[in-house]
Amino acid sequence: MKERITRITERWFLSEEPLFSAFCTHRVTENREMKCCARVGRGVIEINPDLCEDISDKELEERLRVEVIRILLKHPYERQPDGCSNTARALGSNCVIGDSYRFQQLEMEKPADFEFPSNQHFEYYARRIQMLLPKGEQGPSDESDENADIAANWQQDELMAATVNEVIRNVKAWGSLPGHLVEEIIASTKARVDYRKILAGFRATILSEKRKLTRMRPNRRFGFDAMGSRYDFTTRLIIGVDCSGSISKDDLKNFYSTINRFFKYGIKQIDVVQFDTELGEVQTLLKASENIKVTGRGGTCFQPFIDFVAKHPEYDGALIYTDGYASKPRIPVGMCTPLCWVLRSEQELKEHEQWMRESGRVCVIES
């Protein structure tokens, strides 16, 4: 088995730069207990030599190719959808790959097999497939089928994700990978929400004029003999939350969980307003909130929120949590409040980034 894999990777070295580079970030081991031919996770590519013994070199190459593409997409290391079983996650990953890549030896699941639309992201397919599974598989349980085994070792791993991102950024030629899949891989390296960076983006008035003295920080001139200074964030943020029908309850929960994290960085209060085609009532949050009443659930129109921000220049920054599926808003002349569009996935980033960047920054929320 070692010799067969060596021959495959030697060919990749000559003509498949991204596959070879991603393969080299993992070590290869044998696992005769697993029910699938190959799988990836926790920095390891596992091969079952008993199941691979009777398959052709071409099929073995394609099975390895699938797992290495998963590495490039970082499905085993990022974006593990909450409430999804191993089976749903594996099949969701297969839909993304099968939608973009045609294999000669393998029959890979495609979105059309489940009557799903094409060009969606991993989380979308995993969650939709989870809804189709029997009730006994409604959680991330240890199922015993082949698909469940594929995702058995998938878990959040920021170090491995960063390692793969570095490989992707250094790729010069993409070999046989189709353009749509390459776009998906490159989009997956886009930065997710970094709360400190967003606050820094609204830096003009981010520090209060109130100076607080503290013994926990030494004075620059006299050390700990004199009290040092501390400045708290007093930035006024307004956050628009898209509550249209295309946003799920889980999305809204994730949105508000992200908003709550701003309080950890010294923000004293945040104004939040929900919107669909109309603007709701502005709520002022003074602390992290668990119970949020959601209104709206209709269509989506960004213009009411943009017009509201334009009429209230006292805000230092505005964030818009959305899936992006609405008409491009008109930015009023003279509006000076910085905007940051926060999307749910790299797929949405790819679809909407170009027009959103005309009015502000764009990033992807942490899953």
Side-chain angles (χ1 to χ4, degrees), residues 242 275 300-303 306 320-331 339-343 347-362:
D242 182 351
F275 69 91
T300 308
C301 181
F302 300 124
Q303 199 63 52
I306 296 295
I320 306 175
Y321 287 72
T322 180
D323 58 5
Y325 296 107
S327 299
K328 174 183 171 182
R330 179 185 58 83
I331 305 301
L339 291 177
C340 181
W341 299 85
V342 184
L343 298 167
Q347 178 65 32
E348 291 170 357
L349 181 79
K350 181 174 64 176
E351 291 186 46
H352 308 300
E353 182 178 20
Q354 185 173 359
W355 69 261
M356 285 182 172
R357 286 203 180 277
E358 295 176 9
S359 57
R361 302 173 65 197
V362 189

Side-chain angles (χ1 to χ4, degrees), residues 290-304:
E290 294 291 336
N291 299 314
I292 300 295
K293 182 179 179 180
V294 177
T295 59
R297 316 305 282 159
T300 308
C301 181
F302 300 124
Q303 199 63 52

Side-chain angles (χ1 to χ4, degrees), residues 166-184:
E166 188 64 24
V167 166
I168 294 169
R169 294 187 187 102
N170 289 330
V171 170
K172 300 297 189 296
W174 287 93
S176 65
L177 295 183
H180 178 72
L181 186 59
V182 171
E183 290 177 1
E184 185 86 8

Side-chain angles (χ1 to χ4, degrees), residues 42 83 130 143 169 178 180 240 265 331:
R42 299 177 183 175
Q130 184 64 54
E143 305 100 329
R169 294 187 187 102
H180 178 72
Y265 290 92
I331 305 301

Side-chain angles (χ1 to χ4, degrees), residues 193 198 255 319-322 340-344 363-365:
V193 172
I198 285 184
F255 284 171
L319 277 71
I320 306 175
Y321 287 72
T322 180
C340 181
W341 299 85
V342 184
L343 298 167
R344 300 177 303 177
C363 58
V364 177
I365 196 170

Side-chain angles (χ1 to χ4, degrees), residues 5 19 22 28 51 54 90 96 100 105 134 143 147 153 171 207 209 247 256 272 279 293 303 320 333 336 350-351:
I5 294 175
L19 298 181
V28 180
L51 297 180
D54 295 328
V96 173
S100 304
Q105 303 292 321
E143 305 100 329
N147 287 317
N153 292 333
V171 170
L207 291 180
E209 292 301 323
I247 303 293
Y256 275 97
V272 179
L279 203 63
K293 182 179 179 180
Q303 199 63 52
I320 306 175
V333 177
C336 57
K350 181 174 64 176
E351 291 186 46

